[in-house]
Amino acid sequence: MSDFPEGAVALISGASRGIGDHVGAELLRQGWTVSLGMRKPVMPAWAEGHEDRVQLVAYEAGDVTAEARWVSEALGRFGRIDALVANAGIMIPKTVIEAEDDDIDAMMSVNLKAPRRLAKAAWEALAATGRGRVIILASLSGKRVKSAGAGSYSLSKFAAVALAHAIRQAGFDQGIRATAVCPGFVATDMGTTLSGRAPEMMTQPDDLARIIAMLLALPNSASVAEFAINCQLEEFF
Ligand SMILES: NC(=O)c1ccc[n+]([C@@H]2O[C@H](COP(=O)([O-])OP(=O)(O)OC[C@H]3O[C@@H](n4cnc5c(N)ncnc54)[C@H](OP(=O)(O)O)[C@@H]3O)[C@@H](O)[C@H]2O)c1
C-alpha cells in the first residue's frame, strides 16, 4: 500500500461472498483497514487476528438510508474514508421484452442508485483525503450487450459505467478518482449460475481483487476511467 497513508480505510459493499469477499481479504493483506458492508454481517475467516482493522456493518442496498448510516459508522470508528468499492450487485437474466418494470427497478436500485448514494454520503470524507478513490463494480455488460438474456442487466451496468465517469468528473479537482471495473465472467456464485462454466474457465475473483488493489494505489496523476477484464476472446474486450 505504498501510495496510501497508514490506516487508509476502504468501504466494500457486498463483502459477504464472491468478488467483495476477495477484495476485502486482499486490501486487508495489503495493509488497508476495511469496513465491510454485508446484509448479514459475519466476520470472515481471513480477518481473524486483524479485527482492529476490520469493521462489519449491516448494509442492505435497497434501504435508502443505509449508505449514510454506514459512512457515519465508519467515520465514527476510524475517522477517515479513503476508498469505496461499490461491489454489491444483482443480475436478473431477462431480455428487455421479458422483464417487468419491477425487474429493471430492482437492478437499478442495487447496481446504480445505491452506489451513487454511497459516493454522495462519503463525498466530503473522500475529498478530505486529497486522494479519494471510488471503484464501481460494473461489468463488460456495461460496455456491450452480449446476448438478449443479458439485456436488462446491461441497462443497469451501462448506467453504472456512466456513474463512474460522472463521479470522476465531479471529484477530479478534489483529488477523487473513479474507475468502472468491467469484468466478463468471474468464478463466483453469479458467474457460475450465468455461464454454466467450470470455475477455471472464468476470471478468478482473487485476480480481480489484485486489480482493484492496484487501481486504489495508483497516484492521482494516473487516473483509470475504465478497466476491462475478460476470460474469453471477444472483438473489443
Ligand atoms: N460474477 C460475474 O461474472 C460478474 C461479472 C461482471 C460483473 N459482476 C459484478 O460484480 C459484483 C459482484 O458480483 P459477484 O460475482 O461477487 O456476485 P455474487 O457472488 O452473487 O455476490 C453478490 C454480492 O452482492 C450482495 N448483494 C446482493 N444484493 C444486495 C443488496 N440488496 N444489498 C446488499 N448487498 C447485496 C450479496 O450479498 P448476500 O450474500 O447477502 O446475497 C453478495 O455479497 C456485482 O456488482 C456484479 O454485477 C460480476
Side-chain angles (χ1 to χ4, degrees):
M1 206 177 69
S2 54
D3 289 325
F4 271 86
E6 188 83 14
V9 175
L11 273 55
I12 304 154
S13 69
S16 58
R17 59 194 169 95
I19 295 168
D21 173 59
H22 285 265
V23 170
E26 180 63 18
L27 293 188
L28 184 78
R29 192 186 70 75
Q30 294 198 17
W32 287 78
T33 293
V34 293
S35 178
L36 307 176
M38 301 176 174
R39 285 197 278 200
K40 290 184 185 153
V42 177
M43 191 63 82
W46 47 256
E48 212 178 303
H50 303 283
E51 288 82 357
D52 55 324
R53 290 195 290 123
V54 180
Q55 179 182 44
L56 303 186
V57 174
Y59 175 68
E60 163 55 62
D63 172 358
V64 298
T65 66
E67 291 78 18
R69 211 167 40 242
W70 182 6
V71 163
S72 147
E73 281 186 46
L75 287 175
R77 172 154 169 202
F78 301 120
R80 62 185 299 146
I81 295 173
D82 300 76
L84 307 177
V85 182
N87 163 79
I90 57 168
M91 197 283 184
I92 299 174
K94 291 185 180 174
T95 74
V96 288
I97 307 307
E98 293 162 347
E100 303 296 342
D101 268 4
D102 283 353
D103 298 316
I104 305 294
D105 288 347
M107 286 188 283
M108 286 297 193
S109 167
V110 180
N111 299 348
L112 174 70
K113 292 168 81 174
R116 188 197 71 87
R117 283 196 306 270
L118 187 58
K120 185 178 169 80
W123 200 247
E124 275 180 31
L126 290 169
T129 70
R131 51 165 306 134
R133 294 288 178 270
V134 180
I135 300 287
I136 302 292
L137 242 301
S139 173
L140 282 182
S141 290
K143 299 302 297 174
R144 72 334 183 213
V145 181
K146 184 87 163 60
S147 65
S152 300
Y153 176 67
S154 274
L155 298 180
S156 70
K157 290 299 187 177
F158 269 73
V161 170
L163 174 65
H165 283 277
I167 291 170
R168 187 171 50 81
Q169 291 282 350
F172 208 83
D173 290 347
Q174 293 153 285
I176 295 172
R177 301 290 178 266
T179 308
V181 170
C182 301
F185 292 126
V186 183
T188 65
D189 295 343
M190 184 185 287
T192 304
T193 307
L194 291 175
S195 71
R197 286 171 168 239
E200 63 274 17
M201 300 298 288
M202 294 184 272
T203 300
Q204 298 305 303
D206 56 333
D207 288 328
L208 266 190
R210 291 192 298 134
I211 288 165
I212 288 167
M214 179 273 291
L215 292 170
L216 293 179
L218 289 172
N220 282 4
S221 53
S223 171
V224 180
E226 299 182 2
F227 199 106
I229 307 113
N230 208 342
C231 57
Q232 62 188 2
L233 179 63
E234 294 183 31
E235 194 173 0
F236 292 113
F237 303 107

